[in-house]
Amino acid sequence: MLYPERLHQFTKEHADAVAALVCGLFLFCGWLALHLGFLGWALLLLPIAYVIGGYESTREGLTTLIKEKELDVDLLMIVAALGAAGLGLWRREYYLIIDGAILILIFAISGALEGYAMQRTERSIRSLMSLTQDTARVVRRGNQEVIPIKQLQVGDEIIVKPGELIPTDAVIVEGYSTLNQAAITGESLPVEKTVGDEVFAGTLNGYGALKLKLHQPPESSLIQRVIRLVQQAQTETPPSQQFIERFERGYARVIVIAGVLLLILPPFLWNWDWETAIYRALTFLVVASPCALMAAIMPTLLSGIANGARQGILFKNGAQLEMIGKVRAIAFDKTGTLTTGLLEVCEIIPTSEYTKNDVLKAAASVESRSEHPLGLAIVKASTNLDWQAATEVQAFPGQGIVGMIDNQEVIAGKDDFIKKYVAVLPKNLIEIATNLELQGKTVVWIAENQSETAPYKILGIIAIADTVRSQAAETISRLKKLGIEQIVMLTGDNQQTAESVARELGVDRVYAELLPEDKLHVIRRLQQEYKTVAMVGDGINDAPALAQASVGIAMGAAGSDVALETADIVLMADRLEKIEVAIRLGKRTQEIVKQNITIALGFIILLLIGNFLGEINLPIGVVGHEGSTVLVTLSGLRLLKN
């Protein structure tokens, strides 16, 4: 049994195809009757083909004419078909009725194929919908129960078993597992998740059972926001399509006027007979119609948007898909974009009396009591070592930290702070530390004393830095090969640190010690120089620059509201190489749009010349015109492939 909603879906998706099929059936029967000499049956069957095949086009054309006072290409087709039928009855050349019916049929088939092509694009995007669950397993009053997602409340505890989809964004409060986040971030490798980590709706749970706590309404989940943004991108009309639509409105008027002139003038200027003039005028209406031009852009852009969404690249609208392919300069935020944004221990240099482990364990003992990012990086690096937390810890903000380990005092901090306890620092370590700082790294000195009466001794130094992303240098190199003229780095860090990172990555230009509004001004200056400029950032303190840029690209935006709202393009995973993918997709989109427009205009010009010279008849004009429309539509669908 077909339920009403399923019946509605069937009608919406298949009505054009059914109408084309039935129209073709009645056309064939009418042609057969005419061929066998049953004129009465032919004149009964062929009008039915006209009505079934042309109803929808007539309705849309009249609606546009009445409400918007604009001529529609659908109406031009119907006028041409009815004109052919009228001419056939007048001249008793009934094959002309067949010609008009063929026009109706091919136009109906074209509409059905275009609808199918658009549905393929929409289905690719609607596949995101399949990632959302209708129900969730919650714990209430000590019992588990399955309830609709809409009934979830903030604070609910949700149980997710192995192999199930996460029903909504939440935080893990119990359990450990690996999650496949490919549908959200484009990452193919599973990600480990444990207590305190946030998980996203639509991701697939691995082998571990999880208990989650809902911290926001289900409708605010990342997947729901992505779906809304993709739907918005589908409905917004990019500049190229707006131009074509404006062109089509004026073009239709010109076609009607030209058709009337073609009907009236040739009998006086070139001695055409009136039947020929009428036939050529009707054919002219068909071949000059801009259907193919209308289909040259939107299917291509929608296919590109769908392709990007499948790869974890979210285009907010078709205009940005077009724009990204024109970018000449790219500005990158440093922290969290070109670098990981996480401090890590990169080097440990001990004195001759100690080992690297001795230095790291002593530092971790005192830093375990600190919440400073440098201290957290040291503790993280010592995870596999055996050490005990210091006691009597005293922190000196901006300088260092002191603590006791088995009656030994351990000190970690800047060189100036260490000098309060150690009169002379080793010259070789001073030279090494200076060199490390020139590389943009932060140096922490470690010292201890053996007893209260013994002098302090230097154990060594630890270098800490915000590490560069592993793929950053390669991505920048590939972007330059792709034709990007200038790669710029923007950062709030000091000039020395910024230049060190820039040298490592091959960045062309560096702007350091910037506030958010300073980044905005830099983008404006770059736009004056390069016109089309992209800004890549984390979507928080980079928001003004992202908004100003010709194309704002947010990195690793899973869970970031600011990134989703501010940027034009969102890379759902922390993968710089996706920028190259987005640019290539934009360039490919531009190429296909240009190809489609060239094909559409080429067909129109050839058909117009052929019609004027009398080399084509109405059926050939129909096939050429509608064939070009189908061709450019299918051409745009090439972008659905990776």
Side-chain angles (χ1 to χ4, degrees), residues 379-448:
V379 172
K380 181 181 178 181
S382 65
T383 303
N384 297 324
L385 300 179
D386 184 19
W387 50 266
Q388 64 183 48
T391 59
E392 301 179 31
V393 175
Q394 185 177 5
F396 297 85
Q399 300 180 62
I401 191 168
V402 178
M404 298 296 298
I405 306 174
D406 293 333
N407 297 321
Q408 296 180 18
E409 193 169 54
V410 176
I411 309 164
K414 294 181 177 180
D415 54 356
D416 289 340
F417 182 67
I418 295 295
K419 287 178 182 178
K420 296 178 182 179
Y421 300 86
V422 181
V424 180
L425 302 180
K427 288 186 178 181
N428 66 318
L429 285 187
I430 292 176
E431 293 176 1
I432 294 172
T434 301
N435 185 51
L436 290 170
E437 288 172 347
L438 288 174
Q439 297 174 28
K441 299 171 183 176
T442 301
V443 175
V444 178
W445 290 74
I446 314 298
E448 70 172 9

Side-chain angles (χ1 to χ4, degrees), residues 125-140:
I125 295 176
R126 284 204 310 267
S127 63
L128 289 170
M129 295 284 202
S130 66
L131 300 175
T132 59
Q133 294 279 81
D134 295 326
T135 60
R137 189 182 296 104
V138 300
V139 179
R140 288 184 175 174

Side-chain angles (χ1 to χ4, degrees), residues 289-328:
S289 180
C291 292
L293 276 177
M294 297 298 294
I297 297 175
M298 280 308 292
T300 304
L301 295 180
L302 291 178
S303 298
I305 291 171
N307 187 325
R310 193 167 60 243
Q311 298 189 70
I313 305 169
L314 175 60
F315 292 93
K316 301 286 272 295
N317 55 57
Q320 301 310 323
L321 177 58
E322 288 183 310
M323 187 65 70
I324 189 67
K326 302 175 183 177
V327 165
R328 296 174 55 199

